[in-house]
Amino acid sequence: MKKYGFGVDVGGTTVKIGFFGTDGTLLDKWEVKTDRTDGGSNILPDIAQAIDNKLAQEGISKSEVQGIGIGVPGPVSADGVVHTCVNLGWGTVNVADELGRLTGLIVSVGNDANVAALGEMWQGGAKGSKDVVLVTLGTGVGGGIIVGGKVVAGHDGAGGEIGHITVNDDEIEPCNCGQYGCLEQYASATGIARMARRKLDKSAEETSLRNVPQLDAKAVFDAAKAGDAVALGLVDEVGSILGGALSNIACVVNPEVIVLGGGVSKAGDILTDAVQKHFIETSFHACRDTKFALATLGNDAGMYGCVKMILE
């Protein structure tokens, strides 16, 4: 095992780059702008330049570097080919080959949510476990599934798309994916706010939520923590939908730990308690002891997971 590695988490706005010791120590991190012009053709050269600059700055030879792990917002096949990243402007790109050619280093590529799950398993909320489900609750709902320490990526790299499990056959508004009734429409930050607006439109119940200037997920959880009955009902509804979906996933992969991450997870125990309550109520008996934890690595989880990929 060599001494160093790089973890690169590519987002639509910025690329987060971590310089690591292969023992899992984050030595430095920084960001570069994601240049989506010209079909995103500058993204990988910019990353290669940033890594070369770092090695020159530290006086480190490439012979001391184990490799580069890179996470991207789209499906990734086993050979490191990315099949369409709309947020980056990419069509089909062989990221492993191209970044490897630009840097002269070994490159491993994964989906961003999957590598975040690897990061939480390796050094985060699920440290010590090998069977993990990560659910990221942000603008959308992402997911990563790890069985026996290995990511379940699936045939086309689309495994772990937890956010697009159908949870409501009666939904009349489309999800961003084009389907109806996806988990993302209820358990994401935008989904929780949407449910709150629907609730207030249909009900005349007294609630502090009517006086909130910006009705978002945080406002719902804050009001629930303050004892607002309508907000508490909404949190229970989110817990029911998400807990039920996770109980179905548990029947398939039987995780030791389910980790909740993303911005919504900052609500803390009020969220995990609601989800776990409904998970237990709807779970197959052999899965009811599944542990719940909050993610601990935040926005760094993807970088950690990328480094873990190159250590495999």
Side-chain angles (χ1 to χ4, degrees):
M1 187 68 65
K2 298 177 182 179
K3 291 175 66 176
Y4 303 106
F6 287 92
V8 181
D9 187 2
V10 184
T13 304
T14 61
V15 178
K16 294 185 282 292
I17 304 175
F19 177 49
F20 287 80
T22 49
D23 63 353
T25 303
L26 177 59
L27 302 172
D28 195 11
K29 63 178 180 177
W30 68 101
E31 297 181 356
V32 297
K33 182 181 177 183
T34 305
D35 183 353
R36 294 182 292 171
T37 61
D38 194 24
S41 62
N42 297 314
I43 294 172
L44 294 179
D46 286 349
I47 291 168
Q49 187 63 60
I51 288 172
D52 282 347
N53 291 346
K54 183 63 179 176
L55 292 174
Q57 175 189 329
E58 299 291 340
I60 292 171
S61 164
K62 288 185 179 180
S63 64
E64 298 179 85
V65 179
Q66 184 74 15
I68 303 166
I70 180 169
V72 297
V76 181
S77 56
D79 55 0
V81 177
V82 176
H83 301 281
T84 309
C85 283
V86 176
N87 291 343
L88 304 182
W90 286 353
T92 299
V93 179
N94 193 322
V95 176
D97 279 359
E98 186 171 340
L99 189 57
R101 176 180 56 79
L102 289 166
T103 61
L105 293 168
I106 294 170
V107 176
S108 294
V109 192
N111 168 267
D112 55 358
N114 288 340
V115 296
L118 268 180
E120 290 292 341
M121 179 198 76
W122 186 36
Q123 299 290 342
K127 188 171 183 178
S129 300
K130 295 295 183 186
D131 298 282
V132 179
V133 172
L134 170 70
V135 189
T136 55
L137 308 171
T139 305
V141 172
I145 297 172
I146 299 173
V147 175
K150 304 291 184 183
V151 168
V152 178
H155 175 64
D156 288 315
E161 286 288 356
I162 291 168
H164 299 290
I165 293 171
T166 301
V167 295
N168 181 6
D169 291 331
D170 299 321
E171 181 58 64
I172 58 172
E173 293 181 22
C175 175
N176 288 333
C177 76
Q179 299 295 340
Y180 292 80
C182 293
L183 177 62
E184 184 168 293
Q185 292 183 273
Y186 310 95
S188 65
T190 50
I192 293 167
R194 186 183 72 116
M195 283 204 303
R197 288 192 295 271
R198 280 183 169 183
K199 180 78 171 176
L200 297 186
D201 287 345
K202 292 179 181 177
S203 168
E205 287 181 80
E206 283 295 321
T207 171
S208 61
L209 293 175
R210 297 189 191 279
N211 305 318
V212 174
Q214 183 176 348
L215 185 54
D216 56 14
K218 183 178 184 302
V220 171
F221 283 106
D222 286 346
K225 289 173 184 177
D228 184 280
V230 171
L232 284 166
L234 284 164
V235 170
D236 189 66
E237 188 175 355
V238 172
S240 175
I241 294 168
L242 182 53
L246 290 172
S247 72
N248 288 332
I249 293 167
C251 283
V252 179
V253 298
N254 186 208
E256 181 182 2
V257 184
I258 294 173
V259 180
L260 302 182
V264 174
S265 72
K266 292 178 182 176
D269 289 347
I270 193 170
L271 171 66
T272 51
D273 288 350
V275 174
Q276 190 166 19
K277 168 193 164 189
H278 289 284
F279 175 88
I280 291 170
E281 289 173 350
T282 56
S283 281
F284 178 57
H285 63 84
C287 300
R288 287 178 192 152
D289 290 336
T290 303
K291 292 180 283 189
F292 278 74
L294 292 170
T296 62
L297 298 177
N299 291 331
D300 293 346
M303 295 188 302
Y304 276 90
C306 287
V307 173
K308 179 61 174 170
M309 278 196 301
I310 64 174
L311 302 181
E312 296 296 315

